[in-house]
Amino acid sequence: MLRFFKIIPSLLFVFTFVQCKKESESKTKLVPKNEVTYAKGFSIIQYEGYSVVKVSNPWPKANNTYTYILKEKNGRIPDSLKRFTTVTVPLKTIVVTSTTHIPSLEMLGVENTLVGFPNLNYISSEKVRTLIEAKKIKELGTNQSLNTEVLIELQPEVIIGYGLDNSNPTLDNLEKNGLRVLLNGDWNEQTPLGKAEWIKFFGALYGKQNQANEIFSKIEKEYLNTIEIAKRSTSKPTILAGDIFEGKWYLPSGTSWGSQILKEANSNYLWQETTGTGSLALSFETVFEKAKNADFWITSGQFTTLKQMLDANPHYAQFKAFQNKNIYSFAGKKGKTGGVLYYELAPNRPDIVIKDIVKILHPELLVGYKPFFFEKLK
């Protein structure tokens, strides 16, 4: 009997030890959760050995959600997920189709995995241009007519595509030829940080989730910090944006990412109350009536001098911002082959864009800072 009572404490100790060990293991076990905060068009849920990426809004009014399985080495995919496109990560070769994809590759240090791109002249990144000059990246034609023969020869592990609507025959044809296409909807995000967060999409493809999270966190911190700095200004200058192209004045809608940056830089963008997913297309008369006395004018990438503007349309001189030479443009910063750097990098780095705008509108708040994208037209 005495021996029995001696055994009980021992058994209780073993049971308690095992139970504590199980609880400890359960606390350290990976808990699936969406890693995306600001972006509305995709989610990433990481499991043990694989991740599930869902792209729900690759273009306006998309009618499908696209699910991709990113399988790690020796990872096991549940039978219920095997019907979806599966990619083994980390990637070794990739094709992207928008210049906005390039900065993510460069920030993650994997630009050397890029093997093809449509219209190489659009790329401004110095690192990627070096690879192009070394003939390590193939020309693929245009997005509307990607060179299928070259792509089949390259056999990239993944093609990152995008569409403007629900009809994408070129991408459908690539899939019919056995190539893996993953859709990217960064361009369709309506918030600055939502666009920038798509670096996590590429981080998952390269097994660099932690690095992507760190990069985005720094961008987020700088962006939000600059907003707080902008609030210190007591002035709120009025802003005109865009200019005329093919008979229409194009400028950001009030719910676009560009409009939000202007607003968060503590300005009064004159069309910030409008709605829409892209640009507004207005007549000269409509714009002039509302913005003739605007304090600042942020133009598109068409012009690098005031003379170019006047040559294009002499009526630009009627605006107060033109008369006071308060016009800024991002057109001056180009890559070796003429690509405008802003179109490539700005969606990925809203922290830089908002700093530029705050410096332009409230120069006293960012002493010593020099705008990166924007220059005052002369």
Side-chain angles (χ1 to χ4, degrees):
M1 192 68 170
L2 182 61
R3 183 181 177 189
F4 173 76
F5 283 110
K6 286 183 178 179
I7 292 173
I8 288 178
S10 300
L11 290 174
L12 285 173
F13 173 78
V14 172
F15 175 78
T16 304
F17 175 78
V18 171
Q19 187 67 18
C20 289
K21 185 178 180 183
K22 285 183 177 179
E23 289 178 0
S24 176
E25 288 176 350
S26 67
K27 288 178 182 179
T28 59
K29 191 175 181 180
L30 184 65
V31 179
K33 64 177 182 177
N34 183 18
E35 301 289 336
V36 179
T37 305
Y38 295 90
K40 303 301 182 186
F42 81 112
S43 64
I44 301 173
I45 300 179
Q46 190 175 351
Y47 298 89
E48 188 173 348
Y50 68 96
S51 297
V52 177
V53 176
K54 291 189 177 184
V55 177
S56 57
N57 200 27
W59 49 77
K61 299 179 181 178
N63 53 19
N64 288 318
T65 294
Y66 300 85
T67 300
Y68 309 114
I69 311 303
L70 310 184
K71 176 183 173 296
E72 299 169 19
K73 185 179 180 182
N74 300 324
R76 293 185 178 182
I77 308 300
D79 291 342
S80 60
L81 298 178
K82 289 182 178 178
R83 60 194 174 96
F84 299 115
T85 299
T86 300
V87 177
T88 300
V89 296
L91 294 180
K92 294 182 176 63
T93 58
I94 194 171
V95 163
V96 300
T97 54
S98 170
T99 56
T100 60
H101 304 159
I102 300 292
S104 290
L105 300 181
E106 188 172 328
M107 285 188 282
L108 291 168
V110 293
E111 68 275 0
N112 60 339
T113 64
L114 182 64
V115 294
F117 186 86
N119 204 328
L120 293 172
N121 286 340
Y122 286 157
I123 297 176
S124 299
S125 162
E126 292 183 7
K127 286 184 177 180
V128 178
R129 290 234 60 87
T130 299
L131 294 171
I132 293 169
E133 290 165 6
K135 308 295 183 185
K136 293 183 178 180
I137 303 174
K138 295 282 188 180
E139 174 62 67
L140 299 177
T142 66
N143 270 303
Q144 293 73 30
S145 183
L146 292 170
N147 193 319
T148 304
E149 290 183 4
V150 174
L151 281 166
I152 290 174
E153 181 183 341
L154 284 173
Q155 285 294 308
E157 291 175 300
V158 162
I159 299 167
I160 306 298
Y162 72 91
L164 301 179
D165 52 39
N166 287 299
S167 177
N168 296 288
T170 300
L171 299 180
D172 293 342
N173 183 50
L174 294 174
E175 289 185 316
K176 288 177 182 177
N177 280 278
L179 297 168
R180 290 187 182 87
V181 176
L182 274 59
L183 292 171
N184 179 299
D186 60 356
W187 71 276
N188 197 36
E189 294 289 341
Q190 295 304 299
T191 65
L193 290 176
K195 282 181 180 289
E197 198 168 19
W198 278 81
I199 189 173
K200 295 180 181 179
F201 175 89
F202 289 97
L205 291 174
Y206 286 92
K208 290 177 175 277
Q209 292 94 326
N210 291 339
Q211 186 178 342
N213 289 341
E214 288 175 7
I215 292 169
F216 177 74
S217 291
K218 289 178 182 178
I219 292 171
E220 176 191 25
K221 182 179 179 181
E222 286 296 313
Y223 185 86
L224 296 177
N225 184 51
T226 305
I227 290 175
E228 293 304 311
I229 291 173
K231 289 178 181 178
R232 299 174 191 168
S233 176
T234 55
S235 68
K236 205 167 190 176
T238 52
I239 306 292
L240 163 65
D243 40 51
I244 294 173
F245 180 74
E246 294 183 350
K248 289 289 184 181
W249 195 302
Y250 291 94
L251 63 166
S253 69
T255 51
S256 68
W257 76 283
S259 173
Q260 288 183 50
I261 288 179
L262 293 175
K263 183 178 180 180
E264 289 174 334
N266 198 8
S267 75
N268 177 19
Y269 172 52
L270 293 171
W271 278 268
Q272 68 185 23
E273 301 304 323
T274 61
T275 58
T277 57
S279 298
L280 302 171
L282 306 175
S283 66
F284 175 89
E285 292 76 17
T286 300
V287 174
F288 182 70
E289 182 180 357
K290 191 167 187 174
K292 60 184 176 182
N293 291 317
D295 298 312
F296 290 88
W297 184 349
I298 309 294
T299 72
S300 71
Q302 288 194 77
F303 309 113
T304 56
T305 66
L306 296 175
K307 183 179 183 304
Q308 284 182 357
M309 293 186 71
L310 286 181
D311 289 344
N313 191 322
H315 297 296
Y316 286 148
Q318 298 177 45
F319 288 88
K320 173 187 168 183
F322 189 98
Q323 294 162 7
N324 292 340
K325 297 182 180 179
N326 275 334
I327 303 179
Y328 292 80
S329 173
F330 52 76
K333 205 146 199 173
K334 296 180 179 179
K336 288 182 180 179
T337 51
V340 178
L341 182 61
Y342 184 87
Y343 296 136
E344 180 175 308
L345 184 57
N348 297 269
R349 295 300 307 271
D351 56 322
I352 298 177
V353 179
I354 196 169
K355 280 184 180 179
D356 281 13
I357 300 298
V358 170
K359 181 63 178 179
I360 291 167
L361 304 181
H362 314 291
E364 74 283 359
L365 296 180
L366 292 175
V367 178
Y369 179 78
K370 182 179 179 181
F372 179 80
F373 291 114
F374 291 91
E375 294 177 350
K376 193 172 189 176
L377 295 192
K378 299 176 181 179

